Amino acid sequence: MRILFLGDIVGRPGRKLVRERIAGLRAELGADLVFANGENASAGLGLSAKNARELLNAGIDALTSGNHIWKFKDVWNLLDTDSRLLRPHNYPAGPGTGVRIIRADGLPPVALINLLGRTFMPPVDCPFRAVDRILDELDPEIRIRVVDFHAEATSEKQAMGFHLDGRVSAVLGTHTHVPTADACVLEHGTAYITDLGMCGPQRSCLGMKPDIIVKRFLDGLPARFEVASEPGILQGAIFDIEESSGQVKTITPVTTV
């Protein structure tokens, strides 16, 4: 099985790029499933129900999220009713779940898991303990297991990779919007990358207008972020999984404009 996982989708430019490119990219790369983090898809911060449906209807097989998932309350009901939408599982409470079994015709089931880091992030339950409980309860026949770890600190992401090596198929970092150059298959067959990057405006600071961000660094005053303009860039990674074992054979970063 071959899975393409896209980094954080940022604002209208990111959604537009995904809508326009997803079908062709799936065919070009031979991806059986396409996942993405929709954390910043609505005006660069959060995910509305309308935009979640837009992305799912465009061809994304499932959407993960992160610390901004609660911003638009109309998505709360969707978290309970649409099995293709996840929120971090280690939030103490709230609608939805961070574990979904994705079933597609002709393919083995895939356990998609969404976790939130704790370093420089909102207070949540321990993601390491949470994922241990998930794996203890998961049907052992579901061998393909993909984790989106939405976290700030590279050390926390790397630690999660080693913690889950050999127990899941992939640990993929999101949240920081800058693709890292450390895509690899760990010792026991788990694909790992610290950050997938983003799908959003190319000339930007993490998807936002650069002049606003620069000014904030210069004067230290609060400012409202605004999503930058097109052209967009699409980033993520694609990995090949041995279906019988759930181990990954290769992982390759993906960048396209």
Side-chain angles (χ1 to χ4, degrees):
M1 178 186 288
R2 173 170 273 204
I3 296 177
L4 171 64
F5 208 122
L6 300 177
D8 300 51
I9 299 169
V10 182
R12 187 188 303 270
R15 300 197 314 271
K16 181 175 184 289
L17 188 63
V18 168
R19 287 198 315 270
E20 292 175 348
R21 297 298 308 274
I22 193 65
L25 195 61
R26 183 192 287 264
E28 176 187 338
L29 297 175
D32 297 300
L33 292 170
V34 181
F35 301 144
N37 188 293
E39 165 75 355
N40 301 110
S42 299
L45 197 68
L47 177 66
S48 70
K50 176 184 176 181
N51 292 153
R53 293 189 184 98
E54 173 190 356
L55 292 168
L56 292 168
N57 291 338
I60 301 293
D61 294 295
L63 282 169
T64 54
S65 60
N67 54 303
H68 296 304
I69 188 58
W70 311 122
K71 180 180 179 182
F72 294 92
K73 288 191 175 182
D74 63 353
V75 84
W76 291 19
N77 181 63
L78 202 61
L79 284 164
D80 277 331
T81 59
D82 196 317
S83 61
R84 300 169 296 171
L85 183 61
L86 292 82
R87 53 86 164 174
H89 197 69
N90 54 316
Y91 269 109
T97 178
V99 185
R100 297 290 193 188
I101 308 303
I102 308 300
R103 302 182 187 274
D105 291 344
L107 297 173
V110 176
L112 182 58
I113 299 168
N114 194 182
L115 301 168
L116 188 69
R118 292 197 294 182
T119 305
F120 310 124
M121 297 288 269
V124 290
D125 294 340
C126 175
F128 294 86
R129 302 293 187 188
V131 75
D132 286 345
R133 290 192 294 270
I134 291 168
L135 297 180
D136 286 344
E137 297 170 1
L138 196 62
D139 182 348
E141 293 303 311
I142 301 177
R143 302 186 186 280
I144 300 174
R145 306 164 176 190
V146 178
V147 176
D148 173 355
F149 190 28
H150 196 76
E152 181 81 24
T154 55
S155 59
E156 191 177 14
K157 292 179 181 181
Q158 289 180 329
M160 183 64 77
F162 287 114
H163 182 63
L164 294 179
D165 185 20
R167 296 197 286 157
V168 303
S169 304
V171 176
L172 310 166
T174 58
H175 180 65
T176 50
H177 294 201
V178 177
T180 53
D182 59 346
C184 66
V185 179
L186 298 173
E187 182 180 1
H188 301 293
T190 294
Y192 175 81
I193 187 169
T194 297
D195 202 278
L196 290 168
M198 71 171 185
C199 301
Q202 186 172 11
R203 187 186 177 278
S204 69
C205 285
L206 310 186
M208 302 300 166
K209 290 183 177 180
D211 56 336
I212 297 174
I213 308 302
V214 171
K215 184 177 184 300
R216 182 171 173 175
F217 277 113
L218 286 171
D219 61 25
L221 299 176
R224 182 182 177 185
F225 293 170
E226 295 180 34
V227 177
S229 303
E230 298 180 60
I233 188 167
L234 185 150
Q235 297 168 326
I238 192 162
F239 45 100
D240 293 294
I241 305 168
E242 175 56 53
E243 294 180 7
S244 61
S245 65
Q247 293 187 331
V248 169
K249 296 182 287 186
T250 62
I251 177 171
T252 304
V254 172
T255 297
T256 184
V257 294

